[in-house]
Amino acid sequence: MNPLQSQRVLSGMRPTGQLHLGHYHGVLKNWVQLQHQYHCFFFVADWHALTTEYENPQTIAPNIWDMVIDWLAVGIDPEVATLFIQSRVPEHAELHLLLSMITPLSWLERVPTYKDQQQKLKDKNLSTYGFLGYPLLQSADILIYKATQVPVGEDQVPHVEITREVARHFNHLYGYESNYESLVDLAIKKMGKKNAKTYQQLRNKFQEQGDNAALVGAKYLVETQQNLAVQDQERLIDYLEGTGKTILPEPQALLTPAARMPGLDGQKMSKSYGNTITLRDSPDQISRKIKTMPTDPARIRRTDPGNPDKCPVWQFHLIYSNDEIKQWVQTGCRSAHIGCIDCKQPVIEAMQAELQPIRERGEEYTRKNTVREIIDEGSIRAQKVAYQTISEVREAMGLNK
Ligand code: TRP
Ligand code: SF4
């Protein structure tokens, strides 16, 4: 087995409907790569969608299925990655509830997306309990699978950060066995007087002065105690750092290389700007959209020279064209040797070529009508893992009576 398979990657997407080239270049291409390197869980965050769409929840369901088909179309392989819907695994909700008991309000209020989104979506009332809890629900999504890596864009990094804080806080509160202190005392005694004293001194030095050399020394001391059982050694090492047992491991954000996919108007590609090319656009639609794209406004007549830096078409050449074509655009545009129609042609062809296999695979999945089955299976697989974690969490919190 690939050693990285023991690490779990988890990521989710809100069901916003048909995906576009921005999603493909910014997120999905990365997921396709990751699925072969790690054990991946990819899910539809339908509860997260509800935090903003609660007034029109009926829009969510069709978006879910369109989105999953698009995932499959780009090459996410349900045999390799686990695909599911958040609301099919109620363990997310239970963990969210339990975490809400220990999460200070101030941690949620200071997450930057909270105020930003409220500002941005002014037409919606987002002064709700659910919306404030958005990042904590995301923490539950991540921690319920003990994910080690979470591929996200820049904007989501604070959510992974709060997840780490919540996990640390949880472990700190509940990561001790009920008779932890006395077990630690016993283990220390087993080292013999002299070593026990050294251990205590080194521990104090690390805890009070942050002396890392003392930590290393104490660990070494513990690990070289022949007469200590492994459990005792682990206890003593945990006790050194004051962490207790790790029940919920802290995840890492796996920053997706910022492939900023420009839209048809040069702004970031986004459904809300109406400047997208979707993964399902036909060759004709692609061609029409590119042909009507704005270009450098200085090129009023064919004979007016232009500047690619002022033209959104050039942004596409940067993504799709080789050096030779880029050179041809640069000189041709600046000298008015080529027209904008000529210039757009290689972009049209490259996009059509990129989207053709995606569209075909999407159509095949639609025809085979297996999406629901895929999600049923994935949700069951996901739930097995989630159930394991929630059992440990209940146990740690004393709820398994
Ligand atoms: N908040 C994420 C977004 O808007 C979606 C999401 C929900 C998510 N839960 C997650 C992403 C867990 C990564 C991990 O894009
Ligand atoms: Fe833009 Fe190309 Fe026209 Fe220059 S020639 S303005 S780069 S479309």
Side-chain angles (χ1 to χ4, degrees):
M1 188 165 86
N2 179 337
L4 293 177
Q5 290 277 317
S6 64
Q7 304 195 26
R8 288 198 195 128
V9 161
L10 170 120
S11 202
M13 220 186 252
R14 278 168 301 148
T16 48
Q18 277 182 21
L19 302 183
H20 52 65
L21 282 174
H23 298 109
Y24 180 58
H25 285 272
V27 184
L28 295 172
K29 263 191 351 195
N30 194 236
W31 286 13
V32 172
Q33 293 264 319
L34 289 169
Q35 68 181 346
H36 301 297
Q37 297 168 319
Y38 299 92
H39 188 180
C40 288
F41 293 80
F42 298 127
F43 74 98
V44 181
D46 56 343
W47 280 334
H48 278 104
L50 263 186
T51 64
T52 55
E53 304 304 314
Y54 62 87
E55 288 182 299
N56 296 302
Q58 66 284 356
T59 58
I60 296 175
N63 284 345
I64 292 178
W65 301 108
D66 279 348
M67 190 165 87
V68 176
I69 289 190
D70 283 350
W71 289 359
L72 296 165
V74 299
I76 306 276
D77 180 353
E79 302 282 326
V80 185
T82 300
L83 309 182
F84 64 100
I85 299 174
Q86 186 183 35
S87 64
R88 296 273 189 100
V89 187
E91 283 79 358
H92 291 230
E94 184 176 342
L95 184 58
H96 177 215
L97 175 104
L98 294 175
L99 295 177
S100 78
M101 305 298 169
I102 68 163
T103 306
L105 270 183
S106 58
W107 290 12
L108 294 168
E109 285 161 347
R110 69 165 189 240
V111 172
T113 43
Y114 179 55
K115 295 221 166 72
D116 289 356
Q117 289 295 100
Q118 278 187 335
Q119 280 290 322
K120 222 172 131 193
L121 306 173
K122 271 218 177 79
D123 52 323
K124 295 181 179 167
N125 178 1
L126 297 181
S127 305
T128 56
Y129 183 48
F131 188 69
L132 178 67
Y134 185 111
L136 194 62
L137 178 57
Q138 185 161 348
S139 300
D141 297 336
I142 297 168
L143 297 174
I144 198 85
Y145 300 101
K146 300 190 180 185
T148 47
Q149 271 95 354
V150 185
V152 283
E154 198 104 44
D155 62 315
Q156 296 289 314
V157 171
H159 294 173
V160 180
E161 204 42 55
I162 194 176
T163 304
R164 294 166 58 83
E165 283 177 70
V166 169
R168 215 175 300 143
H169 191 40
F170 184 94
N171 294 330
H172 182 75
L173 284 171
Y174 307 114
Y176 297 94
E177 298 144 298
S178 51
N179 50 351
Y180 181 73
E181 298 280 342
S182 56
L183 288 171
V184 167
D185 275 349
L186 266 173
I188 292 177
K189 287 212 179 84
K190 285 185 199 158
M191 285 198 285
K193 260 208 177 116
K194 189 163 152 269
N195 285 333
K197 196 170 160 205
T198 314
Y199 174 84
Q200 291 286 18
Q201 282 170 343
L202 291 170
R203 178 173 184 269
N204 289 345
K205 242 183 159 170
F206 170 67
Q207 295 222 328
E208 284 159 22
Q209 299 156 32
D211 183 338
N212 276 312
L215 176 64
V216 174
K219 277 189 182 164
Y220 181 76
L221 178 68
V222 171
E223 282 158 6
T224 50
Q225 298 298 304
Q226 304 286 347
N227 56 332
L228 279 187
V230 178
Q231 293 93 319
D232 276 336
Q233 291 192 347
E234 279 177 0
R235 259 181 216 116
L236 290 179
I237 286 174
D238 287 344
Y239 185 62
L240 280 174
E241 303 189 63
T243 48
K245 189 168 140 208
T246 301
I247 300 165
L248 299 175
E250 291 177 40
Q252 299 280 345
L254 200 63
L255 213 73
T256 313
R260 189 184 154 277
M261 183 75 192
L264 293 165
D265 55 1
Q267 298 187 81
K268 181 176 179 240
M269 187 177 282
S270 161
K271 192 171 153 187
S272 54
Y273 297 146
N275 62 0
T276 66
I277 292 195
T278 79
L279 300 186
R280 301 186 190 190
D281 280 350
S282 67
D284 278 354
Q285 283 169 308
I286 296 169
S287 163
R288 201 157 359 103
K289 284 183 178 178
I290 301 293
K291 280 183 178 156
T292 53
M293 263 180 84
T295 60
D296 177 0
R299 297 208 69 182
I300 300 165
R301 281 168 303 247
R302 166 71 178 74
T303 48
D304 295 328
N307 178 355
D309 295 338
K310 295 183 179 158
C311 175
V313 179
W314 171 244
Q315 297 302 315
F316 285 140
H317 279 294
L318 287 175
I319 294 173
Y320 288 102
S321 300
N322 61 26
D323 287 346
E324 196 187 332
I325 296 179
K326 284 192 277 201
Q327 194 54 50
W328 169 78
V329 173
Q330 281 291 342
T331 37
C333 176
R334 290 174 197 277
S335 62
H337 270 89
I338 60 170
C340 293
I341 307 276
D342 310 322
C343 180
K344 287 172 172 178
Q345 200 51 39
V347 172
I348 294 174
E349 283 163 24
M351 274 187 190
Q352 286 174 339
E354 176 174 61
L355 286 179
Q356 187 190 342
I358 294 178
R359 197 175 39 247
E360 282 171 1
R361 211 183 289 126
E363 282 164 3
E364 196 183 321
Y365 271 110
T366 308
R367 199 169 47 244
K368 285 194 303 195
N369 201 16
T370 49
V371 195
R372 281 170 197 268
E373 239 169 83
I374 288 168
I375 289 293
D376 288 349
E377 275 172 27
S379 301
I380 290 169
R381 252 193 277 167
Q383 190 167 23
K384 283 198 181 129
V385 180
Y387 182 75
Q388 179 64 37
T389 307
I390 202 71
S391 302
E392 290 168 30
V393 166
R394 288 179 190 157
E395 176 81 33
M397 292 180 81
L399 295 165
N400 255 3
K401 296 287 177 286

